[in-house]
Amino acid sequence: MYGLYDKEGILRFVDPDKDACIAYAELFELSSANYCLIDLTNHTKKS
């Protein structure tokens, strides 16, 4: 699961497909300097 955050730290899009997140950024003309793509599966707490 990937999360795409804008430069203000607001979560803009979540999808299990990394390419879908990048396509979202391209759709809204977000340059790579204006967003951060984070793999959320590595940041979740597992019980």
Side-chain angles (χ1 to χ4, degrees):
M1 188 68 65
Y2 292 90
L4 186 136
Y5 292 83
D6 67 14
K7 66 182 180 179
E8 279 105 34
I10 298 171
L11 180 61
R12 299 279 302 257
F13 188 74
V14 175
D15 198 280
D17 182 12
K18 182 178 180 180
D19 292 332
C21 289
I22 294 170
Y24 175 91
E26 291 172 355
L27 177 68
F28 288 97
E29 300 177 354
L30 298 173
S31 70
S32 60
N34 291 324
Y35 71 85
C36 178
L37 188 60
I38 298 177
D39 182 354
L40 299 175
T41 56
N42 290 334
H43 298 303
T44 57
K45 185 177 179 181
K46 297 181 180 178
S47 305

